Amino acid sequence: MLDWENLLQDDIFEIAGRKFKSRLIIGSGKFKSFQQNKEVLEASGAEIITVAVRRVNITDPSRENLLDYIDPKKYLILPNTAGCYTAEEAVNTAMLAREATGINWIKLEVIGDKKTLLPDMEETLKAAKILVKEGFVVLPYVFDDPVYAKKFEDIGCAAVMPLASPIGSGLGLQNPYNLIFIKEAVSVPVIVDAGIGSATDIPPVMELGVDGILTNTALAEAKDPIKMAVAMKYATIAGRLAYLAGRMPKRTYAVPSSPMKGVPFKE
Amino acid sequence: MRILLNGDEKFLEGEVTIRELLNILGIELREVGLAVAVNGEVIPKSEYENYKLKEGDKVEIVHLVGGG
């Protein structure tokens, strides 16, 4: 009998030599509590969780810490450089992140515009070059530009993370063709980052053949983040399986599914 | 001694190491989750015990928080 429960058993998601079963990556921002974040992480099946690096509040150094809830031995804690607007800021933040996490992985973000939070590709590329030389595993948040995606691969980035739509917008997939072009242009993993609004936005993205998906706000702002996490877990699997299964061609007109011959009561 | 701590002025009595500064501030030294930079240079945790702060040092103490 076909082991349909384990169809994805050998479909390994690999970044910089590290293997993952889940193609879903989640963020840790904007959750009600660390406890809720932990439950969402467990429910989602994700093995990678992003974090930010921020100043400790000196007047009230909080006793509670995200890492009291999320075990870095069990999950890959992927720090970001969110909030950085220049290559220099991002490189310095990455250095702090490396010391804080004890690993050399960085989700590189260099933002170019406050309103849209779109990346400054020139500064991002500049920072990526420096960080790759410093021995970082660099995963840059990028515009859905296949030409730039190739440049990031060429300088040694471990993956590229194009947006589906702006960060926190929940607009879902806006330009499937660019993501297809990016997937064709690079051989490093393509992880779609930003723009997912709900679990139902995930399958159309995964069906394009991209390697992974990252979401945060859609979980944190869901009415029930745990249910959304479970929905996203299955949505990611559904999208991946649909991609591997291969969709039928799209046609303008209907084609009957039942035989035309032998229809009863026909003269 | 006056230092700039996370962007704000802070006065310290006598000679203070990073380790002692963390104690004064009540910040737990976490192997994973904490990082300190002095004048833009990240200081490895192994040096906290002996690294003495100087007048005018710009100290950044950061931790990992929720983010996307």
Side-chain angles (χ1 to χ4, degrees), chain A residues 106-120:
Chain A
I106 192 77
K107 186 196 156 198
L108 176 64
E109 279 182 48
V110 186
I111 301 301
D113 173 49
K114 281 196 170 72
K115 194 172 170 186
T116 58
L117 296 179
L118 291 175
D120 183 327

Side-chain angles (χ1 to χ4, degrees), chain A residues 192-210:
Chain A
V192 173
D193 176 10
I196 297 303
S198 169
T200 54
D201 285 343
I202 293 177
V205 177
M206 290 304 295
E207 200 187 5
L208 300 175
V210 302

Side-chain angles (χ1 to χ4, degrees), chain A:
Chain A
M1 201 180 83
L2 178 64
D3 187 10
W4 55 270
E5 283 284 1
N6 293 308
L7 271 176
L8 288 175
Q9 206 166 30
D10 301 322
D11 183 53
I12 301 296
F13 175 33
E14 191 173 327
I15 314 168
R18 187 157 166 176
K19 294 178 170 71
F20 303 95
K21 282 193 182 114
S22 172
R23 290 174 180 272
L24 178 64
I25 301 172
I26 73 162
S28 59
K30 299 189 276 190
F31 286 99
K32 276 198 199 89
S33 63
F34 292 137
Q35 181 60 32
Q36 186 189 58
N37 199 167
K38 178 196 166 97
E39 285 166 12
V40 163
L41 177 60
E42 285 167 0
S44 73
E47 293 156 282
I48 307 175
I49 181 163
T50 62
V51 295
V53 178
R54 289 292 178 271
R55 283 173 165 167
V56 172
N57 184 346
I58 298 299
T59 46
D60 178 28
S62 169
R63 294 276 173 271
E64 281 220 318
N65 189 295
L66 181 64
L67 294 165
D68 292 333
Y69 290 82
I70 292 157
D71 182 0
K73 288 189 198 78
K74 202 170 156 200
Y75 297 98
L76 175 69
I77 311 274
L78 178 62
N80 67 29
T81 63
C84 292
Y85 279 77
T86 65
E88 193 189 349
E89 282 171 24
V91 168
N92 290 340
T93 304
M95 299 291 183
L96 282 168
R98 180 166 63 180
E99 175 64 19
T101 57
I103 60 161
N104 58 356
W105 288 52
I106 192 77
K107 186 196 156 198
L108 176 64
E109 279 182 48
V110 186
I111 301 301
D113 173 49
K114 281 196 170 72
K115 194 172 170 186
T116 58
L117 296 179
L118 291 175
D120 183 327
M121 297 290 269
E122 201 180 325
E123 288 293 303
T124 309
L125 190 64
K126 204 166 126 190
K129 279 180 188 165
I130 298 167
L131 292 169
V132 167
K133 276 199 188 113
E134 288 285 337
F136 280 84
V137 173
V138 182
L139 292 79
Y141 165 62
V142 294
F143 201 67
D144 59 349
D145 178 336
V147 179
Y148 251 111
K150 183 80 178 83
K151 291 185 189 190
F152 282 98
E153 176 178 63
D154 288 345
I155 62 142
C157 289
V160 287
M161 304 186 75
L163 51 77
S165 47
I167 294 172
S169 71
L171 288 172
L173 182 60
Q174 290 297 307
N175 195 337
Y177 295 99
N178 275 9
L179 294 178
I180 293 167
F181 297 154
I182 289 175
K183 190 59 200 160
E184 284 173 0
V186 302
S187 55
V188 292
V190 177
I191 302 161
V192 173
D193 176 10
I196 297 303
S198 169
T200 54
D201 285 343
I202 293 177
V205 177
M206 290 304 295
E207 200 187 5
L208 300 175
V210 302
D211 302 274
I213 195 135
L214 193 156
T215 180
N216 188 158
T217 309
L219 284 164
E221 288 186 5
K223 211 161 83 186
D224 185 333
I226 310 287
K227 282 199 181 80
M228 186 58 83
V230 176
M232 284 184 169
K233 173 183 173 172
Y234 290 116
T236 306
I237 293 169
R240 181 66 185 174
L241 276 174
Y243 163 69
L244 294 173
R247 70 168 300 139
M248 57 164 277
K250 289 184 183 180
R251 302 183 182 102
T252 306
Y253 297 105
V255 178
S257 324
S258 308
M260 296 294 282
K261 259 180 105 176
V263 179
F265 307 116
K266 286 266 178 191
E267 292 293 319

Side-chain angles (χ1 to χ4, degrees), chain A residues 99, chain B residues 18-20 22-23 26-36 44-49:
Chain A
E99 175 64 19
Chain B
I18 292 176
R19 180 71 230 230
E20 285 161 351
L22 294 176
N23 286 346
I27 297 168
E28 190 189 338
L29 205 174
R30 293 169 172 275
E31 206 44 54
V32 178
L34 183 80
V36 176
K45 292 188 183 77
S46 57
E47 293 176 25
Y48 287 4
E49 207 72 47

Side-chain angles (χ1 to χ4, degrees), chain B residues 1 7 10 12 19 21-27 34 36 39-40 45-46 49 56-57 59 61 65 68:
Chain B
M1 175 172 73
K10 170 92 184 163
L12 300 166
R19 180 71 230 230
L21 177 65
L22 294 176
N23 286 346
I24 292 166
L25 298 170
I27 297 168
L34 183 80
V36 176
N39 303 324
K45 292 188 183 77
S46 57
E49 207 72 47
D57 274 350
V59 182
I61 305 178
V65 302

